[in-house]
């Protein structure tokens, strides 16, 4: 059977429904749709082991925010997108005390455009941890936030999980927010969606496959994952096309062999990655420092 | 019928043979295969109007150099690739007097990675035109070469053809070498091939679709085109997959709708574009200044 | 005598006053100070040949806008700076009919950070020339604007003046706005000032010394110059220091010999160049398309 | 008294000699000059506490390699420079067992050009640590090398020393090589020199002032420092100029006040930083993996 790669829980859920029939309900999974700040929001809760196996993802809460309006440059979309991201993220961080320290980890390879979302977000995170002591007159009431782009195994020789685990031992955050590029199944989701979840990151498809698990088990603290789909796997796209065309006997031989990894990505990927990284970073900053306005953030981060 | 986009003459020729049957010969087209410096070379000559119509390309000579060995980092592949490119290019420039001035035009958008080959090549072209007069003691025996990346219509408001035509009137080159990113049909060709031709560039598919004709007619001098396929159109890929799967009744509805242009590209596109741009630029430099060694070029251009 | 390099008319005027004594008035030169949108503005008008010789600059109007408040990130400074730039620029363009076409030329070398202001501004200019015909339903009421970063002679083999002259012949603008990086005399001016003038650009110091005259004489249309000082020449700085220290017998031997060109620049030059380029580009866009808001520009240009 | 900033031991030594008189010998310091691969080498050994106090640097060995020939693009200079760097570095690493693991730390801010040497070198370091286990058939005989660019405190909220100390606990290198940009006193040294030492890095001037001590005491393993001077502090330059001009009563008031940090740097700093980073990275790679040729490294790292 052909494997379809998706990192998005709501796509996995839709895939399951396709195969099981539209009217079926999946035990162990709860899915709802809503809107926030004018953007569509899908919530998929994986409640037990049965749900986890059916969708191929760990138990937890998955929120998908549709940012098509932002990326199509609707009027006033940027502040709304930032508030929507901050709002949903705040929900996932609800059990965190107000000034508990947080570490933002920007995963991925800054030299591969569709994998650079994580490092770009880390670079736009407002770090305050060092200011609490050095400038308490201004920053005593701020949450201590630190950030790091740990790079990728092929360049550093160090697993992100290994580095972040060592760093967490030193910095002692109460929570890690891990930002990463994802692979979607549908072209419509690519660079138009952000997924938030409280499950951390488990070895998956992603863009660069650079991932050991980053979760409470490996880092010792809760890990909130923020994922941005920037590619569709070319083989997944082809399998979907074949199936949709009523091609019953799918065969991997039908898939084009490029002789190396190929991806499907928007033509405007460079600009899309810039835009999404800024929206995600500002959403994180606003969730962690709710006393700041977007104008403050523009000034502090430029 | 589904349209398959390819800018490569040898792919167009192969497509024609597929549809006509392997044993047919296409009147008005001559195709040969060979090797140069260890790399495979395909030559497709479109000899008359019938051939031009069959392949959808103007009459002229098309040379495709397969650079898989370079991109797979075979030992000593870079100097061989540069010599092969310079050798084939010199063939197309054979009628040019030794010190006749040349203008290198790097087409495309430097902010879109797979479209940035042209601007990158322009940036690595050894410009000598200004040195002939300012430093004749060193450069009197050099060919006057100038280069420009004209940008893209959407950013500048100026057609490349319009700008290059005005510039040719001022600089008066005996020949223009126009470098551009292309769309291939096959994933195996993407970032593994360079096409040279003496036909100039005609409105086509390309990555950015930023093209009015650049040829003897519009610029007033011969135009040699150097094209580097960096993407496959996603719809083309899907059509090919469907056909290969024996799906007789191809229907455009089967193709995924991304709601905006999507491309298929190697995951390592950023690095691939760097590597190919350097090989192409050095090949051009060597063809235009045969007295220089690769070591000279490394020193002069860094 | 030691030569002090400055491209700023108001610094040249201050220098003259220093040497002549504070109470002197320079015949042929009128200087006034004021404020616009909260920023200090200096106007130096060189009225005749005597004034031109005294200040070493052609006759015309020079406006210096002090943007320290912007660069120190005062509240709300960006929109004020853009409006101030647009307002002063509109004054210099007052004789231009409302929809007369304009060409924006971004001079300098994009690979040398303090020389990259021009190319960056060109990249942030809203080009509309091609849209008037292709999308008249939206753009019929817009001024046709085109833009180009012509590169530098050492890279292209083509003088900017030569390229822009040829291009002006084709595009037929009613006015050229030429943006360039400058050398200031005072560290306080560097990356804190913008100079506007209606004299075009004449061979001067600049960062890259890449300049032939760009003015009505060479381009055939009026040239408004927008200059951003990003460096102080190291020898100028040393000469000033020596003089201020009461060192009467200035001798060039006292100046440090680096064996190659060295510049004095803010440590944050990369960020400063980003910020100033955006402010200048938005100011130009607003002056040329007064119907647009800053929000419109943010959306149209990202 | 005016403070002259230099991070180079041989400049500190020259400064001491200037003040003490050319014929004096400084007890506790041994200085010699030589050549390696055609480049001048200065060795300053600080032998005891008296020497350390006189030069303001910790006890240890300091080697300064003059790379003017490389930067002036002498024939064949790159391989010679790499071998010279590798040779001197190997001397400092002589006590390290052949396959003992090493961590390369690239300090500094990648967004500030003259501070980006460290991150660039880290990016060009051949990481092998992960390959020893994953591909033992090819890499069993390689030294395990990892690398990291820890970023700067202002961006990450984490001291480099804190991060590297935590990482060293996890990765357990036998030695850390710390690469950083430095401040020189003389313009002639800037971007023309590399300093190697076995003392680690102690809080100093540098470009970005981002430094807590990185040495055996803080990291628990020996730290070899590789420093590249990329700037001269503007105040230092002015003080030197004044003194050389015979200005006896130096006064800080004579120094120009920029209102923010300004630096003196070569005009070609972007290219210089590229070139030096590559030479340093290749020198480190060759010292750590002596079985590789420069050609191997070009292929493995591109």
């Amino acid at each position: 059977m052909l494997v379809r790669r998706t990192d998005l829980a709501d796509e996995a859920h839709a895939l399951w429904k396709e195969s099981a029939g539209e009217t079926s309900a999946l035990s162990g999974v709860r899915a709802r749709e809503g809107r926030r700040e004018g953007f569509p929001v899908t919530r998929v809760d994986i409640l037990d082991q049965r749900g986890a196996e059916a969708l191929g993802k760990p138990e937890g809460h998955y929120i998908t925010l549709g940012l098509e309006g932002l990326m199509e440059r609707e009027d006033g979309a940027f502040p709304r997108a930032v508030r929507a991201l901050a709002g949903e993220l705040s929900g996932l961080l609800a059990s965190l005390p107000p000034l508990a320290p947080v570490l933002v980890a920007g995963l991925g390879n800054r030299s591969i455009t569709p994998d650079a979302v994580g490092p770009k977000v880390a670079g736009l995170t407002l770090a305050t941890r060092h200011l609490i002591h050095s400038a308490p007159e201004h920053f005593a009431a701020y949450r201590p936030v630190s950030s790091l782009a740990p790079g990728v195994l092929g360049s550093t020789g160090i697993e992100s999980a290994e580095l972040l685990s060592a760093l967490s031992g030193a910095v002692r955050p109460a929570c890690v927010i891990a930002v990463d590029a994802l692979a979607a199944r549908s072209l419509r989701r690519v660079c138009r969606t952000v997924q938030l979840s409280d499950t951390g990151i488990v070895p998956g498809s992603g863009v660069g496959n650079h991932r050991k698990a980053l979760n409470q088990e490996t880092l010792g603290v809760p890990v909130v994952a923020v994922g941005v789909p920037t590619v569709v796997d070319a083989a997944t796209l082809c399998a979907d096309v074949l199936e949709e065309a009523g091609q019953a006997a799918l065969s991997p031989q039908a898939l084009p062999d490029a002789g190396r990894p190929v991806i499907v990505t928007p033509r405007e990927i460079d600009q899309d990655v810039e835009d999404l990284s800024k929206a995600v970073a500002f959403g994180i900053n606003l969730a962690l420092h709710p006393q700041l306005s977007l104008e403050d953030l523009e000034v502090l981060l430029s």
Side-chain angles (χ1 to χ4, degrees), chain A:
Chain A
M1 207 196 113
L2 294 169
V3 178
R4 264 66 153 260
R5 298 169 62 200
T6 178
D7 290 322
L8 297 178
D10 76 335
E11 284 195 339
H13 186 235
L15 261 176
W16 181 89
K17 284 177 82 172
E18 268 174 41
S19 64
E22 276 297 321
T23 57
S24 315
L26 176 51
S27 143
V29 172
R30 184 174 54 201
R32 286 155 300 155
E33 306 206 335
R35 297 190 82 80
R36 182 157 205 152
E37 297 277 352
F39 299 105
V41 179
T42 310
R43 293 167 208 284
V44 175
D45 301 332
I46 303 186
L47 306 166
D48 59 23
Q49 193 50 31
R50 209 156 64 171
E53 272 162 30
L55 300 196
K57 316 222 161 283
E59 290 176 46
H61 302 86
Y62 299 84
I63 299 160
T64 310
L65 195 59
L67 294 180
E68 197 167 331
L70 172 71
M71 302 306 285
E72 305 290 341
R73 309 199 178 290
E74 275 175 15
D75 259 11
F78 182 73
R80 285 192 293 117
V82 171
R83 287 193 304 264
L85 282 159
E88 292 299 333
L89 198 53
S90 299
L92 294 176
L93 299 169
S95 63
L96 205 64
L99 295 190
V102 168
L103 168 63
V104 177
L107 308 178
N109 188 338
R110 75 175 76 236
S111 307
I112 295 183
T113 305
D115 203 26
V117 171
K120 279 181 190 290
V121 170
L124 288 167
T125 297
L126 181 65
T128 51
R129 177 175 174 264
H130 57 303
L131 300 171
I132 316 288
H133 292 291
S134 69
E137 65 282 14
H138 295 117
F139 290 94
Y142 277 69
R143 180 195 298 279
V145 173
S146 50
S147 73
L148 191 76
V152 290
L153 182 62
S155 301
T156 64
I158 308 164
E159 286 279 4
S160 294
E162 201 175 6
L163 173 53
L164 292 171
S165 170
L167 183 59
S168 293
V171 165
R172 302 219 160 273
C175 173
V176 169
I177 298 178
V179 185
D180 201 2
L182 303 178
R185 185 189 167 215
S186 151
L187 288 175
R188 287 208 161 269
R189 299 302 182 91
V190 165
C191 293
R192 292 294 181 268
T193 323
V194 175
Q195 172 175 280
L196 312 169
S197 84
D198 56 5
T199 60
I201 290 180
V202 287
S205 36
V207 178
N209 250 339
H210 43 72
R211 302 185 300 172
K212 267 205 174 168
L214 287 176
N215 54 24
Q216 172 117 30
E217 209 174 311
T218 57
L219 298 192
V221 294
V223 179
V224 168
V226 179
V228 181
T230 56
V231 301
V232 170
D233 180 63
T236 301
L237 177 72
C238 293
D240 279 354
V241 166
L242 284 171
E243 193 174 61
E244 203 148 313
Q247 179 67 19
L250 299 181
S251 121
Q253 287 89 292
L255 301 185
D257 175 18
R260 75 217 122 114
V262 291
I263 53 176
V264 188
T265 207
R267 202 172 69 86
E268 312 292 339
I269 181 72
D270 303 75
Q271 186 65 49
D272 286 357
V273 163
E274 282 300 319
D275 293 350
L276 283 162
S277 299
K278 186 171 173 187
V280 166
F282 274 51
I284 291 174
N285 288 326
L286 200 61
L288 298 180
H289 309 293
Q291 70 269 48
L292 293 175
S293 68
L294 261 68
E295 288 68 36
D296 294 337
L297 285 170
E298 287 280 3
V299 168
L300 287 165
L301 287 165
S302 67

